Amino acid sequence: MREVFEVTAQDGAARIGELEVPRAGVTVETPTLMPVVNPNLITVEPSRFSEFGAEMLITNSYIINSDPDLHERAREEGLHEMLGFDGAIMTDSGSFQLAEYGEIDTTTEEILRFQHDIGSDVGTPVDIPTPPDADREQAAAELATTQERLELAETVDVGDMLVNAPVQGATFPDLREEAARHAYGTDLDLFPVGAVVPLMNQYRYDDVSDVVLAAKRGLGRDAPVHLFGAGHPMMFALAAALGCDLLDSAAYAIYARDDRYLTVHGTEHLDSLHYFPCECPVCSEHTPDEVERMGDAAREELLAEHNLHVSFGELRRVKQAIKSGNLMELVEARAHAHPRTLDGLRALLDHSEQLETTDPASKDAFFYTSAESARRPEVVRHHRRLERLSPDGDVLLTEGSGNDDFDEWWNVVPPFGPFPRSLSTTYPLTAETPDRMDRAGYEAAADGVAALADANPEAEFTLAHRGWPDTALDRVPARVDTVDIAAAD
Ligand SMILES: [Zn+2]
């Protein structure tokens, strides 16, 4: 067991956890969002971060090391004093600069010692961030270098500073999984999924889903996972559903610099806003017009403050949803506000089997809110359960009422399909479903009928359905008799 991280609640792959940061003397509740601080360009003073709810920040030790003034101040005062922040501080190593500019002049040993010396609580070795879509040869060769650096990092004496073990592998799921397994085998503590910023900048959330879930397959449940560069609140629910525990936001400041205003649905430009669609102090006390007329520095600061408020508000919503067991419904709501987050959700649901392994068996309620609900882990689990159930004789599966002509009769509810009546008060069969069900729901129910029929070749089945579409009935095995009870009404 890794001693610094404990999962305390789970919903699908998402979890609430406690990350102990010994050097800072704090325990951070995850998922957490770390505002990124560029020490050369402070937009909101880190001493104010606790107003927004930040328990941890991230800054770049390479920038500090390369700037003579910052270097001296950091060595003399220490990072916490220099930034005026008494929560936990994570430092990056310059890998991002390596990706941007092609070279940096430091080594893993040097930069880890420097991070330790200036008082960082979580340090990072110099890994190689392979960009998405790199060819396999490059991705594999750079991954081998990253793995050497992680092994080197294990040997550097950094006291009780925690150390990141970045997981690379570009857009190759098998390399990501292998990288994660290797990283998890080291003594290092946290596991950032690296080099996903280009994917997020291009809103390729489906690729983000594939890459993160691949990394998760190689990591144990006690591995805290950081989605490096995930700063847009529109994807926090998705990131949590993928099982990410740490997120970081440079977006709050970078977007504010260009007059961009973050929302949970996407990004607005200040000059297109007539009203502020938000309840935070900035938006309650100002109009877009007023903010637009302000000087550059004041405008930037207020927009950055709003961006932080909306980000931490969404993070709290995500955490509440995990505790309530309805994160998937929040992910669906966010997904239906933007085609790219919808891609992310659909890619996530391609891995429902993986999510199912950590999904609690019982929750409060299942709300069917879109065709995507038909692919949730609960549906996958119910279908698997049907393969183990064995009704006898002549069996009626019905959306209506029972009939004495049969040996037994079961209920049928889309998207789950059939189930014994004794289970009708158990989760998820108590689901709230729309009266106007969509095709995906009927098709999933038909798959449930097929699973049951295939597992019980001796029994005879009749399906009494209410006007299922042909695309669903086509999925029901031919030996199952079907009758449309809606037509008979
Ligand atoms: Zn606001």
Side-chain angles (χ1 to χ4, degrees):
M1 279 294 281
R2 284 192 142 71
E3 280 163 17
V4 296
F5 186 63
E6 191 188 348
V7 173
T8 59
Q10 188 121 19
D11 183 14
R15 60 264 189 97
I16 302 280
E18 286 183 354
L19 175 68
E20 204 185 309
V21 188
R23 209 173 180 205
V26 297
T27 300
V28 174
E29 189 181 67
T30 63
T32 195
L33 173 66
M34 300 178 284
V36 176
V37 174
N38 178 343
N40 281 317
L41 209 60
I42 302 269
T43 315
V44 175
E45 286 297 335
S47 58
R48 294 187 49 207
F49 281 166
S50 60
E51 287 172 33
F52 303 90
E55 296 181 81
M56 192 165 177
L57 65 75
I58 177 168
T59 189
N60 192 309
S61 69
Y62 182 73
I63 294 178
I64 297 170
N65 196 23
S66 313
D67 180 303
D69 290 344
L70 289 172
H71 183 109
E72 202 183 310
R73 277 189 61 202
R75 277 200 183 278
E76 265 175 28
E77 301 169 20
L79 268 184
H80 289 81
E81 168 125 9
M82 179 174 115
L83 298 176
F85 184 73
D86 53 15
I89 297 184
M90 179 186 284
T91 42
D92 196 2
S93 62
S95 299
F96 186 74
Q97 282 69 19
L98 181 64
E100 292 283 298
Y101 311 117
E103 63 181 291
I104 54 170
D105 61 348
T106 189
T107 63
T108 284
E109 293 109 308
E110 186 198 3
I111 202 73
L112 275 177
R113 281 204 195 91
F114 178 67
Q115 291 171 84
H116 174 262
D117 292 349
I118 61 177
S120 174
D121 303 309
V122 185
T124 310
V126 184
D127 59 315
I128 314 287
T130 308
D133 314 315
D135 65 45
R136 192 178 174 91
E137 204 180 334
Q138 180 193 349
E142 293 182 352
L143 178 55
T145 306
T146 291
Q147 293 179 337
E148 284 166 21
R149 305 259 170 98
L150 299 190
E151 286 160 22
L152 185 60
E154 282 184 286
T155 67
V156 181
D157 181 10
V158 291
D160 55 2
M161 179 175 85
L162 300 179
V163 178
N164 278 319
V167 173
Q168 297 291 347
T171 24
F172 297 98
D174 61 320
L175 290 185
R176 288 278 184 177
E177 185 175 341
E178 179 203 318
R181 197 159 284 126
H182 170 271
Y184 187 66
T186 67
D187 291 339
L188 306 180
D189 307 287
L190 280 81
F191 303 88
V193 179
V196 285
V197 171
L199 293 177
M200 286 185 283
N201 287 344
Q202 296 165 43
Y203 297 94
R204 286 166 61 182
Y205 294 145
D206 47 356
D207 289 327
V208 173
S209 290
D210 287 338
V211 159
V212 173
L213 288 173
K216 291 284 290 188
R217 290 193 288 276
L219 295 169
R221 185 165 178 262
D222 57 354
V225 176
H226 173 189
L227 187 55
F228 227 115
H232 201 304
M234 71 190 276
M235 59 94 60
F236 289 177
L238 177 66
L242 292 166
C244 298
D245 308 295
L246 296 99
L247 309 170
D248 62 273
S249 173
Y252 79 94
I254 293 172
Y255 282 57
R257 217 159 288 149
D258 304 333
D259 285 346
R260 283 182 293 167
Y261 177 98
L262 298 177
T263 80
V264 295
H265 305 303
T267 310
E268 302 285 349
H269 202 274
L270 179 61
D271 65 15
S272 70
L273 288 175
H274 301 278
Y275 311 93
F276 281 137
C278 169
E279 304 81 7
C280 85
V282 173
C283 300
S284 311
E285 289 162 20
H286 301 88
T287 66
D289 247 10
E290 280 166 27
V291 176
E292 214 174 343
R293 287 198 301 269
M294 287 177 179
D296 287 351
R299 190 174 68 242
E300 186 179 322
E301 188 172 356
L302 281 181
L303 285 175
E305 285 177 27
H306 155 81
N307 288 344
L308 282 173
H309 278 301
V310 75
S311 299
F312 280 97
E314 179 69 352
L315 188 73
R316 290 192 293 276
R317 219 169 278 126
V318 164
K319 284 161 59 167
Q320 177 61 41
I322 297 172
K323 289 255 189 187
S324 301
N326 56 21
L327 180 68
M328 282 309 291
E329 282 135 40
L330 182 62
V331 178
E332 283 187 43
R334 295 294 175 254
H336 292 118
H338 199 291
R340 298 286 85 76
T341 41
L342 182 56
D343 283 336
L345 169 62
R346 286 179 174 164
L348 171 76
L349 291 170
D350 287 343
H351 301 278
S352 262
E353 301 259 356
Q354 185 178 340
L355 306 184
E356 192 272 328
T357 60
T358 48
D359 198 38
S362 186
K363 306 182 198 176
D364 274 352
F366 177 112
F367 275 53
Y368 190 100
T369 57
S370 75
E372 275 66 39
S373 303
R375 300 174 62 205
R376 280 175 49 168
E378 290 93 336
V379 179
V380 170
R381 178 182 295 157
H382 181 69
H383 288 177
R384 201 173 309 135
R385 185 186 205 177
L386 284 171
E387 292 166 10
R388 299 191 307 266
L389 295 175
S390 39
D392 273 331
D394 220 356
V395 185
L396 173 66
L397 310 174
T398 180
E399 287 192 280
S401 47
N403 184 320
D404 289 341
D405 297 345
F406 293 86
D407 297 318
E408 53 182 303
W409 65 278
W410 288 23
N411 289 334
V412 175
V413 172
F416 303 102
F419 53 88
R421 282 174 292 147
S422 58
L423 293 181
S424 61
T425 54
T426 63
Y427 186 87
L429 303 167
T430 47
E432 296 281 349
T433 62
D435 290 340
R436 295 158 188 254
M437 181 50 77
D438 50 58
R439 189 173 291 212
Y442 291 121
E443 290 169 6
D447 290 343
V449 173
L452 182 69
D454 291 348
N456 294 280
E458 308 289 309
E460 300 285 334
F461 293 97
T462 300
L463 170 66
H465 65 89
R466 293 192 182 278
W468 287 15
D470 289 343
T471 55
L473 295 174
D474 287 348
R475 298 162 93 110
V476 174
R479 72 179 190 86
V480 175
D481 287 334
T482 60
V483 48
D484 185 350
I485 50 176
D489 282 348

